[in-house]
Amino acid sequence: MTAIVAKAKKPRSASGLQRRRPSRAHKTFYWMVVPALVLFVILHTVPTLTGMFFSFTNYAGYGEWDFVGLSNYVNLFKDDRIMASYGFTFLFAITTTIAVNVGALFIAILLNSKIKFQTAFRGIFFIPNILSVLIVGYVFNYLISNNLPLIGQALGIDWLSSSILANPDLAWLGIVGVTAWQSIAFSVIIYLAGLQTVPLELYEAASLDGASPWRQFWSITFPLISGFFTINMVLALKGLLQAFDQIVALTNGGPGTSTESVAMVIYRGGFQGGEYGYQMANSVVYLVVIVVLSLLQLRVLSRKEADFS
């Protein structure tokens, strides 16, 4: 009887081992992931951990260094230049995020409607996204500094008669305008993808009920693409908080330090000013700020999605 039971159980355990044993194809997939994982660790994880280590030192980027504990982090909150850069970056990022999403949603709705040359227009509106940020910045720098003042003088507008990029109070608006113009293209694509998921039958039923286009937008369109709105808001704010290239091309942080972003302060101090350890502490703080803001934004907007559904 015992022998019979043992024979009956043996095939079961063997088949179970065969199920648990990874197939040859699965092993191949794992080996394909290994090179990417190694590169990620070498190019991302190791530099990040190294930077965090040096944030507790007085390392200047060269020569000897000593541990200074948390003094770098404490001094950050006493540094007026650092605080000013955070203020400018938040103002720029929030304003541009709003402008990008409002403009992108409006353009996406127009491009999603039944118009001639729809595909061609979609391609044209996406062109800014494939252009180099630096090239776009330098081109607009010339236009804003030379052509726009001529228009202002012809129209008799005093504040527009000289380059706004040379005005400490208006330079940030020029950066916002150029950055929004280039960033809208990517957001338009995401909104178009969302609009394609809205059934046309809903609009037909709403029209029969006498709903206006504005009412259809708030009651049908926006609730059904709220998930895409969340994605665009989070991606836009996260990316704009790291603004660097467009500021370098347009104002280089000027006039004075009025348009210095956090990324620019980190670069200048860490790689040009002998403040490597100090700016590494700034980088760690800013990393935490971006992560917290992104998670908070995602949570709030996700709740709004639930309210619409």
Side-chain angles (χ1 to χ4, degrees), residues 164-172 255 258-259:
I164 63 173
L165 298 179
N167 188 328
D169 299 322
L170 300 176
W172 72 279
S258 60
T259 59

Side-chain angles (χ1 to χ4, degrees), residues 86-248:
Y86 273 82
F88 165 75
T89 304
F90 289 144
L91 175 64
F92 160 78
I94 293 172
T95 305
T96 310
T97 297
I98 295 172
V100 165
N101 280 275
V102 171
L105 184 55
F106 177 74
I107 293 173
I109 291 174
L110 293 179
L111 293 178
N112 194 56
S113 59
K114 296 179 180 179
I115 57 175
K116 291 183 178 180
F117 310 111
Q118 185 186 67
T119 304
F121 279 122
R122 289 181 180 181
I124 291 171
F125 274 98
F126 190 70
I127 288 176
N129 189 68
I130 64 177
L131 299 176
S132 167
V133 177
L134 281 174
I135 292 176
V136 169
Y138 285 124
V139 169
F140 273 95
N141 187 336
Y142 178 83
L143 295 176
I144 294 173
S145 300
N146 296 278
N147 295 3
L148 195 59
L150 295 177
I151 297 174
Q153 292 170 12
L155 297 176
I157 304 174
D158 292 336
W159 64 271
L160 201 58
S161 298
S162 59
S163 175
I164 63 173
L165 298 179
N167 188 328
D169 299 322
L170 300 176
W172 72 279
L173 291 176
I175 301 173
V176 167
V178 175
T179 305
W181 176 83
Q182 187 168 28
S183 302
I184 279 176
F186 180 75
S187 297
V188 166
I189 298 300
I190 296 179
Y191 280 129
L192 277 173
L195 291 171
Q196 296 294 320
T197 65
V198 182
L200 296 177
E201 294 80 6
L202 296 177
Y203 294 114
E204 295 173 359
S207 298
L208 293 175
D209 290 339
S212 64
W214 186 249
R215 180 65 178 175
Q216 291 179 29
F217 172 78
W218 281 112
S219 299
I220 300 174
T221 306
F222 193 75
L224 292 178
I225 66 169
S226 58
F228 297 87
F229 176 76
T230 299
I231 293 171
N232 262 336
M233 288 291 289
V234 173
L235 290 179
L237 184 62
K238 182 187 74 67
L240 293 168
L241 284 172
Q242 303 172 58
F244 179 81
D245 291 355
Q246 54 268 57
I247 298 175
V248 169

Side-chain angles (χ1 to χ4, degrees), residues 6-16:
K7 287 181 181 180
K9 286 184 177 181
K10 189 173 182 180
R12 252 185 230 173
S13 61
S15 62

